[in-house]
Amino acid sequence: MLFDKKRHETLTKTSWDKSIVQAEILSIIDDIQRSLLPDTSWPTHPLDAQSYPKVGPKWSAYAGAAGTIHALQILSEYGYKVNDLSGSIEGVYQSFLKTPDVSVEPGLQIGELGILMPAILVQPDNVNLSRLVMRCMEDTIALPLYEITSGQSGMMHAALALYRKSGKSHWKDLFVKGAKSLMDNWIQNTETGEWLWQSQVFGPKRHYYGACHGVTGNANILLQGADLLPDGYSRIIIKRTVATLNISVKQKENLANWTLCTKPDIDKLLVQWCHGAAGVVTAMSRTPVIDSPESKLLDKLLDETGELVWQAGPLLKGSNICHGTSGNGYAFLYLYQKTGKLVWLDRARKFAMHSIEQCQKARLHYGQGRYTLWTGDAGLAIYLYHCMQPEKAAIPGLDLF
């Protein structure tokens, strides 16, 4: 098997219904706004509490207040009536410095940068804030991480977004510095031929394949900003990445997946955004099409990988983006954008209906919502909107700021 059946559940039989989707988005927004605490945090969900050694409020973009504030910003831009909490970011940031979710670090998902992004998005000309954000970005460049959570590629997503929005050269310069760090540390394994980064994230040194910590996640941001890099880089990045995926792929009939990393004793075949098939699809679906054997091979791999996400079904872990059903649903939305085939949109919408049921059941079971961007309901609300407006689909806090 290319996936673990015990990690998945049977897809709902409920048909796509836009009115149900819209009602759930409004319900999530209402729950988030009613549950706001005086210190501009939200009650920590029991499942998130299990993931962090620190007891108390969470502040990061990944599973804390900053991510929820950012999600509300995005929903506001989509026309939903929400409270603007961007002015509270300074307090959230100071709270993070005093009692960080994990540790005080500069990165995007669990560090300073992700907390500051909602503020600079609404204050792009604030000089002091810009300097602080730039310092955080600079601090990621020399880290031995080479991934999204805390490292260079996460920083590069933020820098590229700010450059595209403002045209200010210092954001471009930081993106290019991050790209140089990635390219300088992208090493070919002489035995297998794979091109991999060694990421020292959360302690262990590993060579990952997936969207969060691995080769596809890094290739994604390099290719998104390839117009800022020297001529010819796109072909190099595509050639190395597709070769690596082709060497390491696990295939059966018309399905494809990848293990967590290269370590032979870690042979999990996950189907999530963070690790495995779904994230490989979202990371590589926007790869520029060039006239090359690599482009044709990538199209085939993505089709097989998307099919695996569908065959595996919704994730037991819930409705969230990082390792849940909506994150897997984004794989279908990205394939719909790439191919225009309605089958992918239909599948995304079926996962949306299932994720709504998961969210509602979890709220009843735990007696509260999950007020986070990457692990909870705030991210789900954005996914549901994207299922109604698939041309806008992009993973929030990464491909969308």
Side-chain angles (χ1 to χ4, degrees):
M1 290 295 293
L2 297 182
F3 60 91
D4 184 351
K5 286 186 176 181
K6 295 190 297 293
R7 292 177 175 271
H8 300 266
E9 61 187 26
T10 303
L11 181 66
T12 182
K13 290 182 169 33
T14 304
S15 300
W16 169 257
D17 188 324
K18 187 175 179 180
S19 64
I20 293 175
V21 173
Q22 191 71 271
E24 182 63 18
I25 295 172
L26 295 173
S27 175
I28 290 171
I29 292 172
D30 180 62
D31 187 28
I32 289 172
Q33 299 198 141
R34 283 189 295 103
S35 302
L36 178 66
L37 299 174
D39 60 356
T40 317
S41 72
W42 281 267
T44 301
H45 195 275
L47 294 177
D48 290 317
Q50 292 175 13
S51 303
Y52 291 90
K54 179 183 79 72
V55 176
K58 306 296 181 286
W59 309 107
S60 69
Y62 181 75
T68 310
I69 292 170
H70 187 201
L72 291 175
Q73 287 180 328
I74 293 170
L75 290 165
S76 176
E77 290 179 7
Y78 289 153
Y80 292 95
K81 186 177 180 181
V82 301
N83 296 326
D84 181 8
L85 299 175
S86 57
S88 302
I89 286 294
E90 175 61 24
V92 171
Y93 179 61
Q94 293 303 322
S95 295
F96 168 82
L97 296 179
K98 292 175 184 175
T99 57
D101 299 22
V102 180
S103 63
V104 176
E105 58 134 282
L108 178 66
Q109 287 194 322
I110 56 174
E112 296 173 78
L113 178 56
I115 293 173
L116 296 170
M117 280 300 289
I120 198 163
L121 288 168
V122 297
Q123 300 179 63
D125 298 320
N126 185 315
V127 174
N128 291 333
L129 181 58
S130 294
R131 286 174 180 165
L132 182 56
V133 172
M134 291 169 67
R135 191 270 299 163
C136 292
M137 291 181 174
E138 287 276 6
D139 285 352
T140 69
I141 292 171
L143 295 175
L145 300 177
Y146 318 112
E147 53 84 64
I148 282 167
T149 305
S150 304
Q152 295 84 344
S153 49
M155 173 277 284
M156 291 164 65
H157 275 277
L160 185 63
L162 292 173
Y163 174 65
R164 299 291 194 215
K165 288 175 182 290
S166 71
K168 294 180 179 178
S169 61
H170 49 265
W171 304 125
K172 173 185 174 181
D173 294 343
L174 283 158
F175 176 89
V176 171
K177 285 183 180 180
K180 185 178 187 306
S181 178
L182 289 185
M183 296 300 291
D184 288 349
N185 290 279
W186 199 2
I187 308 300
Q188 187 176 32
N189 184 312
T190 55
E191 294 181 5
T192 67
E194 297 171 273
W195 286 88
L196 298 162
W197 283 273
Q198 179 177 269
S199 301
Q200 190 178 349
V201 61
F202 308 131
K205 296 179 180 179
R206 294 174 181 166
H207 300 84
Y208 292 97
Y209 294 109
C212 192
H213 309 301
V215 61
T216 54
N218 291 349
N220 173 30
I221 188 57
L222 286 168
L223 290 168
Q224 283 196 38
D227 58 305
L228 309 182
L229 304 177
D231 289 344
Y233 265 44
S234 286
R235 286 186 175 272
I236 293 170
I237 295 161
I238 293 170
K239 186 173 183 178
R240 290 181 180 183
T241 306
V242 175
T244 299
L245 290 175
N246 193 43
I247 292 166
S248 56
V249 67
K250 309 296 181 185
Q251 290 172 299
K252 184 178 180 181
E253 298 173 351
N254 66 329
L255 307 177
N257 200 0
W258 288 262
T259 56
L260 186 78
C261 60
T262 59
K263 288 181 73 68
D265 58 333
I266 304 177
D267 57 357
K268 290 181 181 178
L269 285 161
L270 301 178
V271 187
Q272 303 173 176
W273 171 80
C274 50
H275 295 293
V280 171
V281 172
T282 60
M284 300 307 297
S285 287
R286 294 182 173 180
T287 297
V289 177
I290 59 175
D291 185 14
S292 71
E294 288 82 13
S295 281
K296 294 174 183 176
L297 177 56
L298 179 60
D299 287 346
K300 178 176 180 292
L301 287 173
L302 290 178
D303 189 68
E304 292 177 352
T305 310
E307 188 61 34
L308 178 90
V309 177
W310 174 248
Q311 294 293 335
L315 280 153
L316 273 171
K317 284 189 173 183
S319 59
N320 66 83
I321 293 175
C322 183
H323 41 263
T325 300
S326 59
N328 285 19
Y330 268 117
F332 304 140
L333 288 177
Y334 278 50
L335 285 170
Y336 171 68
Q337 289 179 339
K338 177 179 176 62
T339 67
K341 294 179 180 178
L342 289 173
V343 62
W344 297 120
L345 178 58
D346 179 59
R347 290 175 174 184
R349 288 174 167 173
K350 286 179 178 176
F351 269 41
M353 301 309 294
H354 190 94
S355 66
I356 289 171
E357 293 178 8
Q358 286 181 308
C359 181
Q360 292 174 346
K361 289 175 184 176
R363 200 178 293 143
L364 288 172
H365 177 77
Y366 291 103
Q368 68 166 87
R370 199 170 182 180
Y371 312 107
T372 65
L373 174 58
W374 282 95
T375 68
D377 305 349
L380 169 61
I382 296 170
Y383 170 69
L384 295 176
Y385 176 82
H386 286 153
C387 284
M388 295 189 294
Q389 302 289 337
E391 71 283 355
K392 297 181 181 180
I395 294 177
L398 193 70
D399 294 334
L400 171 65
F401 284 96

